[in-house]
């Protein structure tokens, strides 16, 4: 299967008379864009704001981010979500690089929402401070979940996906600046020189814990709570077959943008045929009961062994309860002779003294940490807030609070904030964006 991604590098985004792309500038007719998004009857109010790197802007509560793209064959960008089901992983896409469509609550936040600072000390905590974020600031009539800590955020999230396609149309007929190609050969059809290299499989564990449908990541529009581990072509992931959910504490979640650009997949492609034989992706899941966790570990380990994997990279979206799936999967792979490197965040508490993973096992001999979700962060006021700052304290965002007997509220009267890393939008970047380094003292 051959997937081609033609890249257009966005240097600026401006409002203009016509939605178009020219000389590195994406122009958006704001009125027409709002009319397009407002077609969803559940959206009661909407504004569009643009946040650029280096600006003194704080964005919260963020629910989703999507890279604007378009398929040249006219098929849906996200099969089973924005259009009919189609086979993902082949064909040609045009992508607007360096920007995201970002879904932001006009007022109400939830447990899975996060924050991004576009400048200053806070900018270093999220990859998204490097992007030009086209913020869809939306309120909805979804009253059934307005005061719930957990929200499906359906209207806002779907608006991001549809609008990403809308913007992608601006480059459909243009010639890209460069072209990325991802050709995945059948695992039994490879040359002797490739087969002699160490064979590696990537095991992804997207979030699927919520038994009520609508909160979890979706694969081909299918709620992953009902999913069992399966072998997937890595191109399928890069081509929109999976979209992010709204359940996990925000620093540990994978947005749809992360899925579209999953850096670990791209790095494995770069090394394929040079230092390793990339066998593909085993797409697993994260469930609640021990039986479900064990069943998934059995599926994953048997698939990896059947594929002939010498090694595996295991990545989890989330922490806490999912740590049991993560560790059990690693150990099951090691038990059948597949050497594993695991990548995850850790939850060591604000003082850094707690057990980093809920479950620990001697079989986890090679783990990469992307940081402590409980790390306390203090940031000064921002000149401008997109969304509503009080949502951080009021609405149960996983890293914020309305009051603490020692620290006080997350949002102070002067607009400065104190919060846990938990609330940084996709801040742990298990997907591979992380700029964090380990220092030894």
């Amino acid at each position: 299967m051959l997937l081609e991604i033609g890249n257009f590098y966005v240097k600026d985004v401006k409002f203009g008379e016509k939605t178009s792309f020219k000389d590195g500038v994406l122009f958006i007719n704001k009125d027409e864009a709002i009319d397009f998004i407002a077609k969803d009857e559940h959206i009661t109010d909407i504004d569009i704001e643009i946040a650029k790197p280096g600006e003194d802007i704080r964005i919260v509560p963020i629910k989703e981010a999507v890279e604007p793209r378009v398929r040249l064959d006219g098929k849906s960008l996200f099969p089973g979500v924005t259009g009919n089901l189609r086979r993902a992983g082949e064909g040609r896409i045009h992508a607007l690089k360096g920007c995201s469509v970002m879904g932001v609550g006009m007022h109400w936040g939830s447990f899975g929402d996060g924050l991004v600072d576009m400048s200053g000390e806070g900018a270093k905590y999220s990859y998204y401070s490097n992007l030009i974020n086209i913020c869809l600031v939306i309120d909805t009539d979804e009253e059934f979940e307005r005061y719930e800590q957990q929200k499906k955020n359906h209207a806002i999230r779907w608006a991001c996906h549809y609008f990403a396609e809308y913007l992608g149309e601006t480059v459909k007929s243009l010639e890209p600046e460069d072209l990325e190609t991802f050709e995945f050969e059948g695992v039994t059809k490879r040359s002797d020189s490739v087969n002699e290299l160490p064979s590696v499989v990537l095991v992804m564990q997207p979030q699927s814990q919520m038994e009520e449908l609508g909160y979890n990541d979706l694969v081909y529009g299918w709620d992953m709570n009902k999913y069992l581990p399966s072998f997937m072509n890595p191109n399928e992931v890069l081509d929109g077959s999976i979209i992010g959910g709204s359940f996990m504490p925000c620093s540990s979640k994978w947005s749809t943008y992360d899925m579209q650009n999953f850096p670990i997949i791209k790095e494995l492609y770069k090394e394929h045929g040079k230092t390793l034989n990339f066998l593909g992706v085993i797409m697993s899941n994260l469930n609640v009961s021990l039986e479900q966790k064990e069943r998934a570990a059995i599926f994953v380990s048997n698939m990896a062994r059947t594929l002939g994997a010498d090694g595996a990279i295991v990545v989890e979206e989330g922490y806490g309860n999912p740590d049991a799936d993560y560790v059990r999967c690693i150990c099951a792979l090691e038990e059948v002779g597949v050497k594993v490197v695991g990548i995850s965040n850790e939850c060591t508490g604000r003082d850094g003294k707690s057990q980093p993973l809920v479950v620990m096992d001697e079989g986890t001999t090679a783990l990469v940490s992307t940081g402590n979700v409980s790390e306390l962060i203090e940031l000064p006021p921002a000149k401008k807030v997109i969304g509503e700052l009080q949502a951080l304290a009021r609405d149960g965002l996983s890293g914020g609070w309305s009051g603490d007997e020692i620290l006080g509220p997350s949002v102070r009267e002067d607009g400065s904030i104190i919060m846990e890393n938990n609330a940084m939008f996709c801040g742990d970047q298990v997907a591979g964006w992380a700029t964090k380094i380990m220092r030894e003292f």
Side-chain angles (χ1 to χ4, degrees):
M1 290 172 68
L2 175 63
L3 177 67
E4 297 180 316
I5 303 179
N7 294 319
F8 298 79
Y9 294 92
V10 179
K11 300 178 180 65
D12 199 3
V13 179
K14 299 179 180 180
F15 293 117
E17 292 184 4
K18 181 180 179 180
T19 299
S20 59
F21 180 81
K22 184 178 181 181
D23 298 329
V25 181
L26 176 63
F27 295 95
I28 301 173
N29 182 309
K30 188 173 182 178
D31 291 337
E32 290 180 1
I34 287 176
D35 287 344
F36 173 83
I37 297 162
K39 290 177 183 177
D40 186 329
E41 62 183 8
H42 295 291
I43 293 176
T44 58
D45 199 1
I46 179 171
D47 193 12
I48 302 175
E49 298 205 50
I50 301 168
K52 302 175 184 179
E55 294 182 328
D56 192 1
I57 292 177
R58 179 164 292 152
I59 314 170
V60 65
I62 306 169
K63 303 168 185 294
E64 174 65 295
V66 184
E67 183 171 79
R69 292 181 172 186
V70 65
R71 288 191 59 86
L72 270 61
D73 59 11
K75 295 179 180 178
S76 62
L77 194 58
F78 302 102
V81 176
T82 57
N84 295 332
L85 283 171
R86 63 167 175 84
R87 183 184 296 108
E90 59 188 354
R92 184 156 170 177
I93 299 167
H94 282 179
L96 288 161
K97 310 301 291 187
C99 67
S100 87
V101 173
M102 184 171 276
V104 184
M106 186 171 285
H107 299 294
W108 305 100
S110 66
F111 184 70
D113 298 348
L115 176 148
V116 165
D117 271 5
M118 297 301 295
S119 66
E121 179 70 11
K124 73 180 186 182
Y125 289 98
S126 177
Y127 174 80
Y128 292 86
S129 64
N130 301 304
L131 302 178
I132 301 173
N133 296 302
I134 303 157
C135 300
L136 308 186
V137 189
I138 295 175
D139 201 10
T140 78
D141 68 356
E142 295 162 308
E143 299 290 342
F144 69 95
E145 64 180 13
R146 172 152 289 182
Y147 300 106
E148 296 292 327
Q149 187 183 34
Q150 298 281 6
K151 293 181 175 64
K152 297 177 183 179
N153 292 316
H154 185 278
I156 298 177
R157 290 165 55 215
W158 260 241
C160 292
H161 292 90
Y162 279 111
F163 195 61
E165 285 188 324
Y166 177 91
L167 293 179
E169 289 286 340
T170 62
V171 295
K172 186 173 183 178
S173 61
L174 302 181
E175 191 65 28
E177 294 179 50
D178 62 47
L179 188 67
E180 293 180 281
T181 59
F182 302 94
E183 187 167 11
F184 192 77
E185 306 162 298
V187 293
T188 64
K189 304 294 184 181
R190 298 178 177 176
S191 67
D192 291 342
S193 61
V194 172
N195 286 329
E196 288 171 359
L197 295 170
S199 54
V200 177
V201 66
L202 172 64
V203 179
M204 295 176 62
Q205 295 179 311
Q207 188 50 234
S208 56
Q209 284 184 281
M210 289 292 281
E211 294 184 354
E212 181 179 341
L213 304 184
Y215 297 94
N216 300 307
D217 296 0
L218 301 181
V219 56
Y220 286 101
W222 184 256
D223 193 297
M224 294 194 75
N225 184 261
K226 306 303 180 184
Y227 181 84
L228 287 173
S230 303
F231 176 73
M232 289 184 72
N233 186 313
N235 291 2
E236 293 178 89
V237 181
L238 301 178
D239 186 24
S241 69
I242 303 181
I243 70 166
S246 67
F247 170 62
M248 278 311 298
C250 201
S251 72
S252 61
K253 76 189 293 181
W254 297 338
S255 71
T256 298
Y257 186 102
D258 290 335
M259 303 290 194
Q260 293 171 293
N261 293 280
F262 216 78
I264 295 172
I265 290 178
K266 290 189 175 183
E267 285 299 315
L268 287 168
Y269 258 121
K270 287 179 183 177
E271 293 301 316
H272 177 67
K274 300 175 184 176
T275 62
L276 56 84
N277 178 9
F278 181 27
L279 296 179
V281 174
I282 297 176
M283 191 62 65
S284 188
N285 49 357
L286 297 165
N287 288 317
V288 177
S289 75
L290 288 175
E291 181 180 304
Q292 290 171 321
K293 297 175 190 294
E294 184 62 28
R295 183 182 296 114
I298 290 169
F299 269 105
V300 170
S301 59
N302 279 343
M303 269 188 275
R305 179 166 55 176
T306 303
L307 286 167
D310 299 308
I313 299 172
V314 178
V315 290
E316 68 163 334
E317 180 187 10
Y319 68 94
N321 186 291
D323 291 345
D325 305 71
Y326 173 65
V327 170
R328 184 64 199 112
C329 181
I330 291 172
C331 291
L333 286 162
E334 291 278 358
E335 288 164 9
V336 298
V338 179
K339 298 299 181 183
V340 180
V341 173
I343 306 175
S344 73
N345 56 29
E346 53 187 306
C347 185
T348 62
R350 294 176 185 173
D351 59 3
K353 296 179 180 180
S354 297
Q355 181 170 297
L357 299 173
V358 168
V359 176
M360 300 292 286
D361 191 286
E362 291 181 355
T364 56
T365 57
L367 300 180
V368 176
S369 169
T370 61
N372 177 19
V373 299
S374 301
E375 179 187 355
L376 274 178
I377 299 169
E378 291 190 65
L379 297 172
K383 184 177 181 180
K384 178 180 179 179
V385 174
I386 294 178
E388 188 171 85
L389 184 59
Q390 195 58 38
L392 174 66
R394 183 191 62 216
D395 298 334
L397 271 67
S398 49
W401 53 86
S402 58
D404 182 279
E405 61 182 16
I406 298 174
L407 301 173
S410 280
V411 179
R412 297 163 174 152
E413 290 185 5
D414 66 352
S416 63
I417 60 174
I418 183 169
M419 54 179 264
E420 292 183 357
N421 180 62
N422 251 323
M424 282 294 174
F425 182 69
C426 301
D428 297 323
Q429 294 300 345
V430 173
W433 301 109
T435 57
K436 298 173 184 176
I437 60 172
M438 180 68 72
R439 288 181 178 172
E440 187 172 337
F441 295 93

